[in-house]
Amino acid sequence: MQDEDGGSVKLRMRHKCSACFKQYKKKEHLIEHIKTSYHSVHDPKCGVCNKHCKSFESLREHVAGPLSKVNCSSIFAERGCILCLKICSSVDSLNEHKEICHLTTPRPIDTIEMLYSEDGVDISNGISSIRSREAVAIDCEMVGGGSDCSLDLCARVCLVDEDEKLIFHTFVLPQIPVTDYRYEITGMTEVNLRDAMPLNEVRERILQILHNGESISRVRLDGGRAKLLVGHNLEKHLDCLKMNYPDHLWRYDIQVGSHDPYQDSVSVMRLYKKIRSQDHPMEGTIRASNSPALSFSSSSDPWKSMAHENMTPNELLEISRSNYKCWCLDSWDAAQR
């Protein structure tokens, strides 16, 4: 190529990331980017241009934000789900998808029965013998303690299974006096706690459900048969229950708007199941390629065993791995047991 004076102009080759589309002047910079960005099949991805995003919020900005790409935003406005950000093939399929994607408000706890005799559930002091479920959702309601009412004391707890069945519910007797029942939020008064279950007993019952017959050492190691614990603000709830549970079995850290323990538990369970149901390819299942560089053991570290300089951007993306465990793997783990 020549400039206006007839001199030659050297074209600089740009190295483009196949995931986030960032471009680099040098190949080694692209390689370092791929190694440290942890792009993977689990990233939220635009259904129009296939760009990988780090979170659903950044994906929402990409398709519907003030600086969104024209093509992506126009297609999303026509055929995109505003809830899960999926791009449907047509307006009709979008309308069908919305019926499935929209989560209805759970019923209040006062309308829920804890006995399910048709399923052969045995209730004993508020606990049902649940079937082998992978996850249990929990929610606690707090009252105030201390002279300034600022201490959060657990006064009510609710657990539901994946079928939204109420498997444990009780009022909890705090270990120190209640100075504010926070009635406007909790709907509770001193009458509700008059015959409440002591906190130590509540904790023991909950752990019995969560451990699911598994030894404490196995629960701490890899979980075994223990339940995944789903909830919003789990750290705070477990702290108020004075209860320890391995954080590798925690799922979710959100706050939904209501203060009904059953509705809160069901809401986070539904959200968890929706995320878990994402159909992601398995990492390590490298697609067929003519490149010998992609021949490696799934258990080895591909960054230590390959000639990266000879790999294409797509091949570099193939060996990139996420730095977190996507919840879609919970379903895969359960299938392997």
Side-chain angles (χ1 to χ4, degrees):
M1 183 177 178
Q2 294 183 332
D3 60 18
E4 294 179 353
D5 298 324
S8 63
V9 176
K10 185 177 180 180
L11 293 177
R12 289 185 176 180
M13 181 179 179
R14 306 287 289 185
H15 302 277
K16 183 178 179 181
C17 174
S18 297
C20 67
F21 303 160
K22 287 183 179 179
Q23 298 186 36
Y24 298 88
K25 294 180 180 180
K26 296 182 179 181
K27 181 68 172 287
E28 56 262 36
H29 294 166
L30 171 63
I31 293 173
E32 185 62 25
H33 163 74
I34 295 290
K35 289 174 65 175
T36 58
S37 64
Y38 301 103
H39 290 310
S40 77
V41 295
H42 302 292
D43 293 339
K45 189 165 63 172
C46 175
V48 180
C49 68
N50 289 324
K51 179 181 179 179
H52 289 228
C53 298
K54 278 299 182 183
S55 67
F56 280 101
E57 283 306 310
S58 59
L59 176 57
R60 189 179 298 278
E61 287 294 311
H62 173 76
V63 296
L67 301 178
S68 59
K69 297 295 183 181
V70 175
N71 186 46
C72 297
S73 62
S74 61
I75 293 178
F76 179 79
E78 179 184 358
R79 299 187 268 114
C81 175
I82 62 174
L83 297 177
C84 69
L85 308 182
K86 177 182 179 180
I87 304 292
C88 297
S89 58
S90 66
V91 175
D92 289 339
S93 63
L94 172 62
N95 291 332
E96 294 177 1
H97 169 78
K98 286 181 178 178
E99 294 295 323
I100 302 173
C101 193
H102 178 70
L103 300 177
T104 59
T105 303
R107 291 185 295 162
I109 192 171
D110 294 339
T111 68
I112 303 299
E113 293 289 339
M114 196 156 57
L115 293 174
Y116 292 90
S117 58
E118 65 272 18
D119 289 342
V121 176
D122 176 36
I123 303 295
S124 176
N125 293 324
I127 295 182
S128 62
S129 57
I130 59 178
R131 294 165 295 179
S132 181
R133 295 296 179 187
E134 286 302 307
V136 166
I138 188 172
D139 185 72
C140 299
E141 294 300 321
M142 313 295 182
V143 293
S147 58
D148 60 354
C149 309
S150 63
L151 296 178
D152 288 327
L153 309 175
C154 179
R156 192 179 191 183
V157 63
C158 172
L159 274 70
V160 302
D161 66 13
E162 292 191 23
D163 291 331
E164 301 181 9
K165 291 184 177 180
L166 187 60
I167 57 178
F168 181 66
H169 169 239
T170 187
F171 289 101
V172 183
L173 183 63
Q175 293 180 316
I176 65 174
V178 177
T179 53
D180 183 2
Y181 286 90
R182 302 174 182 173
Y183 177 80
E184 295 80 5
I185 298 174
T186 66
M188 285 187 283
T189 67
E190 60 181 313
V191 175
N192 298 112
L193 303 186
R194 190 166 293 164
D195 298 313
M197 187 180 294
L199 180 62
N200 290 341
E201 185 177 348
V202 171
R203 182 170 58 247
E204 182 180 341
R205 301 286 185 88
I206 294 175
L207 287 174
Q208 178 184 343
I209 293 173
L210 296 179
H211 287 176
N212 195 31
E214 195 61 85
S215 66
I216 295 178
S217 59
R218 182 67 184 275
V219 171
R220 291 174 177 171
L221 178 63
D222 61 7
R225 297 188 305 273
K227 305 299 181 182
L228 298 173
L229 185 60
V230 180
H232 61 77
N233 208 348
L234 282 174
E235 184 174 4
K236 178 180 179 180
H237 287 175
L238 292 178
D239 181 62
C240 289
L241 288 166
K242 311 297 182 187
M243 189 176 89
N244 294 316
Y245 200 62
D247 56 9
H248 65 87
L249 296 175
W250 295 10
R251 299 294 184 269
Y252 258 106
D253 184 17
I254 65 168
Q255 172 64 59
V256 291
S258 65
H259 289 277
D260 180 299
Y262 177 77
Q263 290 180 323
D264 284 0
S265 298
V266 170
S267 295
V268 293
M269 179 62 81
R270 289 178 180 178
L271 289 170
Y272 164 70
K273 289 169 68 177
K274 180 179 283 290
I275 298 298
R276 187 184 65 183
S277 66
Q278 295 177 108
D279 187 17
H280 294 154
M282 288 298 299
E283 287 183 334
T285 54
I286 302 299
R287 294 191 294 268
S289 173
N290 294 326
S291 172
L294 289 180
S295 300
F296 70 96
S297 168
S298 60
S299 61
S300 64
D301 183 353
W303 293 113
K304 295 181 179 179
S305 59
M306 297 185 183
H308 304 121
E309 288 292 336
N310 297 325
M311 297 175 66
T312 67
N314 283 340
E315 289 173 341
L316 288 170
L317 180 58
E318 291 275 11
I319 64 173
S320 180
R321 298 289 180 268
S322 61
N323 60 346
Y324 63 92
K325 180 179 178 180
C326 181
W327 294 344
C328 76
L329 299 177
D330 289 344
S331 295
W332 186 86
D333 291 344
Q336 303 307 306
R337 294 196 181 106

